[in-house]
Amino acid sequence: MEKLFSCQRWLIISPHADDAELGLGGSIARATEAGIEVHIAVVVLKGETHLRGKHYVSASQRHQELDAAMETAGAKYSVLNYVKEGESFDLASSDQSSCISQLDRLIDEIQPELIMMPVPSFHQEHQWVYGCCVAATRPTKPGNPLRLIAAYEYPPAGWGNSSSWDSSRGAIYINISRHLPAKIAMLEQHKSQMSVADNALISVDGVKRLASFRGLEAGYDFAEVIYLMRGRID
């Protein structure tokens, strides 16, 4: 869909520090290569204990990894809620109106032509962020430059609420055959998040396999998929 890459300012809403790259790393690489301004808004960044490895990753480490990934991507970024060590913050039980206001301000500041949000999936924080994004992208006054709104998947999105987001929902396949290495380079900066276990969804191998499958569906070597939610034809 050529119109996607004719949008000169992108805003990608990322629930956590690596979700945008997991779902859209190849598209981000294509966009920045084409001179498009890409801004990634990370909704929450905090320290956490991994369920699978039982090891703690600090907020500062997550921030360092995010900064390195954004430098690799050539993208701008902001963190809406940075939770310092020792502070307690649960996104899914917090006030959605505050996040919607944050997104409203960011949209007014950036004036994006394209906004991409995460599909809701089984992850409660992704569902929460999706709801905020829908509210923040409500129809606005004429003259707003926003032309396209889409939702992007990420590796575990085939289970739960997003499992019904299949190609019948207006799927758009983006050819990332030349840009898969750039996507992998971004994700390799998130060292604390990429699993090395066999058949892990959140891993470099998992990302490659999903991109290959999406490519098979679309006739490419590798692809990413987004779902069109709203668009304008002037």
Side-chain angles (χ1 to χ4, degrees), residues 29-137:
R30 278 191 62 170
T32 55
E33 180 182 82
I36 294 169
E37 180 182 318
V38 178
H39 188 109
I40 295 174
V42 177
V43 176
V44 64
L45 193 156
K46 63 180 181 178
E48 59 186 348
T49 300
H50 280 271
L51 293 177
R52 57 177 184 269
K54 302 299 183 183
H55 64 281
Y56 181 77
V57 181
S58 68
S60 61
Q61 181 178 348
R62 293 299 309 270
H63 198 189
Q64 290 170 4
E65 292 175 350
L66 171 64
D67 192 67
M70 294 297 95
E71 184 175 354
T72 300
K76 300 178 180 180
Y77 76 94
S78 57
V79 177
L80 303 188
N81 298 283
Y82 184 90
V83 184
K84 297 178 181 178
E85 299 303 325
E87 294 181 344
S88 178
F89 179 77
D90 179 63
L91 183 65
S93 63
S94 64
D95 182 11
Q96 280 192 309
S97 63
S98 175
C99 181
I100 294 166
S101 295
Q102 290 175 316
L103 293 173
D104 281 340
R105 289 192 292 272
L106 198 59
I107 291 168
D108 286 343
E109 176 187 336
I110 296 171
Q111 293 286 294
E113 296 177 51
L114 168 66
I115 290 179
M116 289 200 266
M117 65 185 75
V119 296
S121 84
F122 64 86
H123 196 305
Q124 63 179 353
E125 292 188 343
H126 284 232
Q127 295 178 34
W128 190 94
V129 170
Y130 173 79
C132 293
C133 290
V134 169
T137 54

Side-chain angles (χ1 to χ4, degrees), residues 195-229:
S195 175
V196 294
D198 292 340
N199 300 315
L201 288 167
I202 306 299
S203 66
V204 169
D205 178 63
V207 166
K208 289 178 180 177
R209 289 163 70 178
L210 179 59
S212 178
F213 178 68
R214 292 309 189 194
L216 183 66
E217 291 181 323
Y220 301 130
D221 291 332
F222 299 102
E224 291 169 341
V225 68
I226 62 173
Y227 301 93
L228 180 64
M229 297 182 65

Side-chain angles (χ1 to χ4, degrees), residues 115-211:
I115 290 179
M116 289 200 266
M117 65 185 75
V119 296
S121 84
F122 64 86
H123 196 305
Q124 63 179 353
E125 292 188 343
H126 284 232
Q127 295 178 34
W128 190 94
V129 170
Y130 173 79
C132 293
C133 290
V134 169
T137 54
R138 59 199 178 276
T140 55
K141 61 183 180 181
N144 188 297
L146 184 58
R147 296 160 57 193
L148 286 173
I149 302 171
Y152 64 91
E153 68 171 1
Y154 74 117
W159 174 255
N161 288 350
S162 58
S163 60
S164 61
W165 288 58
D166 57 25
S167 58
S168 65
R169 263 192 92 126
I172 299 169
Y173 292 84
I174 303 169
N175 185 359
I176 64 163
S177 299
R178 285 200 308 108
H179 298 86
L180 182 63
K183 176 173 184 165
I184 298 305
M186 296 174 206
L187 291 171
E188 285 176 339
Q189 303 303 321
H190 294 285
K191 294 181 176 64
S192 68
Q193 305 305 300
M194 295 298 108
S195 175
V196 294
D198 292 340
N199 300 315
L201 288 167
I202 306 299
S203 66
V204 169
D205 178 63
V207 166
K208 289 178 180 177
R209 289 163 70 178
L210 179 59

